[in-house]
Amino acid sequence: MAMYDVIIKNGTIVTADSTLQGDIAIQDGKITKVVTDKPLENDAAKLIDAEGLHVLPGLIDPHVHFNEPGRTEWEGLETGSKSLAAGGAATFFDMPLNSTPPVIDKDNLNAKKELAAEKSVVNARFWGGLVPGNVDKLKDMHDRGVIGFKAFMPPSGIEDFDNADDETIFKGMQEIASLGSRLAVHAESPVICEQLAKEKQRQGKTSARDFAESRPIISEIDAVKHLISYAEATGCKLHIVHASSRKVVNIVNDAQQRGVDVTVETCPHYLALTVKDLEEQGGIAKCMPPLRDNREVEDLWNAVLRGDINVIGSDHSPAPADMKQITDNYFEGWGGISGAQSTLNILLTEGYFKRGLTLQQLVQLASENPAKLFGLTSKGTIAAGFDADITLVDLNESFELQKEDLFYRHQHSPYVGKTYQGAVKKTIVNGAIVFDNGDITAD
Ligand SMILES: [Zn+2]
């Protein structure tokens, strides 16, 4: 009998601290050895030749909407997780909406957990929802392992997931602080967004740019400042999801300097697309907060390069094609981008190749930081004793993304037709190869 289940030979192993040539041995889903001074003996049931490839810890996507149960016609745990595997991710954190029922109590959480155990090809973790009236349900969800809680300041767009008023957020934060957990918030001012949207529509201004202008950066800044003041008052750990601008990141960084435990996520679409893409591609590129202009994209990249952003989440929020079709009124149509499969491609192409993001920084952002921040102590790096969640990438290969390549339930994405440098060759989850050269191989 072979000594190991899998050996990955002679790859360039990247962690947040180092880039080294070496071999990795895997047994029972765990990394048992990482050897960089001499080759491992070929004593494994499966040998993977990684010569010429980069070997990264599997990505952790802290922000997806897979919509199961209840809204699987939009996406699902199987299709969503397959798309992540194809994109080099080994773990996701699913948002409490837009599944129906949403995860706002323990029973709904249990139901989703069972479905994920059956259907997901990668590791699944869950956010619990904070909505008006459920503060007393948070502890039960915490006890059952949610990685944190999520609330909306503006309306979520989903009828069964109400946005949280100030009282809910404040009381929720007191409770979440006592649990030692973290509250993630969709931070846009409901007042500013609602007023501007009404004003624009009253004037018949409904273009892509009008829509974007109705949700300005100041709306995010206002909301984030408000939330930080609550975090300081309650001692609750706070997480700002999908920051679209460096100006928002700055507010978070200032609070961090004062010792407030607040963290910030941005998304690939704010680093790769602008409001021009919304104008040209229509609803496919509609999201909230909206895409910004070129200058914001570059400023946001600077924040990434300086290490001022904690995590990158795809905010994969898909919908059927007919809900993404916008003819003339950009206030209509679903706001959410299908992107879970492309995060690594964008970080490599737009970051590593174009702007000097190092592979170590990439791994830190996309694997190590989310693992550390959300208490996944056996994930986020490649080292003995850690889970064997590993992605093999060929940096020399480039490709044009075709819609047929997408594993989503609905094969559309604003990234279709774009060329990427760096292709995912294999994704290994808990020691098993789940994606191999274009095919899902999980059973
Ligand atoms: Zn989201």
Side-chain angles (χ1 to χ4, degrees), residues 159-339:
E159 272 165 22
D160 57 16
F161 198 94
D162 286 335
N163 54 330
D165 52 86
D166 284 350
E167 185 187 351
T168 301
I169 292 180
F170 197 83
K171 285 191 171 153
M173 282 176 118
Q174 286 176 320
E175 173 71 0
I176 293 164
S178 78
L179 300 171
S181 189
R182 188 174 292 272
L183 179 65
V185 186
H186 178 129
E188 286 182 290
S189 159
V191 176
I192 293 176
C193 291
E194 197 191 325
Q195 282 186 359
L196 290 178
K198 271 191 192 154
E199 212 173 289
K200 287 276 189 193
Q201 289 177 93
R202 207 183 312 120
Q203 297 167 347
K205 293 181 171 174
T206 57
S207 71
R209 214 158 271 275
D210 290 318
F211 167 74
E213 284 169 6
S214 78
R215 304 182 87 102
I217 294 165
I218 180 63
S219 158
E220 287 181 72
I221 291 172
D222 183 48
V224 170
K225 284 186 169 171
H226 181 76
L227 291 164
I228 287 171
S229 70
Y230 278 25
E232 288 187 277
T234 59
C236 182
K237 292 186 272 189
L238 174 65
H239 184 58
I240 303 301
V241 292
H242 51 54
S244 74
S245 161
R246 166 91 225 202
K247 298 177 184 85
V248 178
V249 176
N250 285 345
I251 310 287
V252 172
N253 291 161
D254 287 348
Q256 288 169 334
Q257 295 259 304
R258 293 200 303 278
V260 183
D261 192 340
V262 51
T263 48
V264 62
E265 168 198 82
T266 192
C267 311
H269 41 271
Y270 301 118
L271 295 166
L273 303 173
T274 68
V275 69
K276 219 166 164 274
D277 290 280
L278 181 63
E279 285 177 315
E280 286 167 5
Q281 298 209 48
I284 290 285
K286 180 179 171 180
C287 57
M288 292 174 287
L291 298 173
R292 306 299 183 189
D293 62 24
N294 232 333
R295 197 174 154 163
E296 290 297 337
V297 171
E298 292 309 322
D299 285 351
L300 200 56
W301 267 115
N302 282 334
V304 171
L305 294 172
R306 285 171 45 107
D308 291 340
I309 290 176
N310 300 93
V311 297
I312 300 269
S314 69
D315 194 6
H316 178 70
S317 183
D322 59 345
M323 293 182 68
K324 296 297 285 172
Q325 252 147 35
I326 294 173
T327 43
D328 54 353
N329 185 350
Y330 275 75
F331 289 89
E332 289 169 359
W334 179 251
I337 282 180
S338 289

Side-chain angles (χ1 to χ4, degrees), residues 8-26:
I8 303 170
K9 300 284 292 179
N10 207 24
T12 304
I13 302 165
V14 185
T15 68
D17 310 310
S18 65
T19 302
L20 293 165
Q21 205 73 18
D23 297 351
I24 299 166
I26 296 168

Side-chain angles (χ1 to χ4, degrees), residues 63-65 95 97 150 152 186 241-242 315-317:
H63 190 158
V64 299
H65 300 263
M95 283 295 171
L97 70 168
K150 167 80 180 290
F152 271 74
H186 178 129
V241 292
H242 51 54
D315 194 6
H316 178 70
S317 183

